[in-house]
Amino acid sequence: MERIVLASTNKGKLREFGDAFNALGIEVASIGQYISGWDVEENGATFYANAQIKAEAAMEMTGLPSLADDSGLSVYYMGGAPGVYSQRYAGENSTDQLNNELLLDRLAYAKNYRQAHFTAVLAYAAPGAVTHFALGRLYGSITTAPRGDAGFGYDPLFEIRGSTKTLAEITLEEKNRISHRALALRSLFKACGAFRG
Ligand code: IMP
């Protein structure tokens, strides 16, 4: 079976990407299987740059085709912040809860201007080939208080456009159908000749 490396040790991502690629007859292995203590500095200014840094580092270290993703939340009232800083919005060792509290704080006066989107960029790097990219976006708005227990990150504050629910109020299966990562993956499959059967 053809194998690609996922430039992440996140189990949720491994399962999500694994399921999608398995359906195409491609196995997805975590970078953790090849490199112990995998850690690459994500110092890019954009989601594209960070995804490229991770995918190309994994490809160079393993010699195998590698996939990486980078994602985050952009809030229009805040000029697109926290963007690439989503994970460490409230500081280097921040938590989801602290990030969410800070976001609500910053939007305290943004009564009717709470639109936002999640972005996911995928980078696929194969030896001797140009790196392919794909983008997915999920649109919505930021609630005034957290709702729901599912998901992670900003999910309890993100009300999906066209729905009354936040991402933390839907099942993982539903989220995996509509998420920015799912959209990016579909786009990568469409655009990238390497996956055409
Ligand atoms: P990364 O792409 O795994 O580095 O994720 C960056 C950060 O963006 C996460 O730590 C979350 O704060 C935020 N984020 C990305 N995708 C989601 C999502 O689907 N739900 C909630 N937060 C997300």
Side-chain angles (χ1 to χ4, degrees):
M1 199 185 206
E2 197 182 328
R3 175 181 273 212
I4 68 168
V5 172
L6 181 66
S8 167
T9 53
N10 180 308
K11 289 203 175 73
K13 286 185 185 176
L14 187 66
R15 206 183 70 185
E16 190 177 335
F17 290 124
D19 287 349
F21 276 88
N22 287 170
L24 302 177
I26 298 169
E27 186 191 346
V28 180
S30 165
I31 185 70
Q33 276 180 243
Y34 295 87
I35 313 290
S36 69
W38 156 264
D39 189 23
V40 171
E41 200 187 347
E42 297 179 37
N43 53 10
T46 63
F47 298 117
Y48 282 91
N50 283 334
Q52 181 172 19
I53 289 168
K54 290 184 273 188
E56 292 181 356
M59 185 265 287
E60 275 156 26
M61 288 182 199
T62 62
L64 292 170
S66 300
L67 179 76
D69 79 320
D70 199 55
S71 59
L73 178 70
S74 300
V75 181
Y76 308 159
Y77 179 79
M78 306 194 309
V84 291
Y85 301 105
S86 292
Q87 194 171 2
R88 48 205 151 116
Y89 182 41
E92 263 323 304
N93 299 313
S94 189
T95 61
D96 287 346
Q97 189 174 343
L98 289 176
N99 288 338
N100 286 353
E101 283 170 9
L102 180 60
L103 180 60
L104 286 181
D105 214 36
R106 291 278 155 86
L107 290 179
Y109 298 103
K111 294 257 180 306
N112 299 312
Y113 190 29
R114 305 178 74 91
Q115 295 91 334
H117 64 248
F118 278 112
T119 299
V121 171
L122 295 180
Y124 175 77
V130 289
T131 298
H132 288 271
F133 295 94
L135 174 94
R137 283 209 173 118
L138 179 66
Y139 294 90
S141 58
I142 306 301
T143 57
T144 50
R147 291 200 324 255
D149 304 312
F152 71 99
Y154 299 94
D155 281 351
L157 296 184
F158 190 89
E159 188 174 286
I160 307 152
R161 188 155 86 183
S163 165
T164 54
K165 291 183 177 171
T166 68
L167 281 173
E169 293 177 307
I170 63 173
T171 64
L172 183 60
E173 285 69 31
E174 284 175 296
K175 185 179 170 191
N176 285 347
R177 270 199 300 275
I178 63 162
S179 79
H180 39 305
R181 267 177 297 279
L183 295 171
L185 197 55
R186 259 174 249 154
S187 166
L188 186 75
F189 284 161
K190 263 194 213 149
C192 185
F195 302 126
R196 294 216 180 97

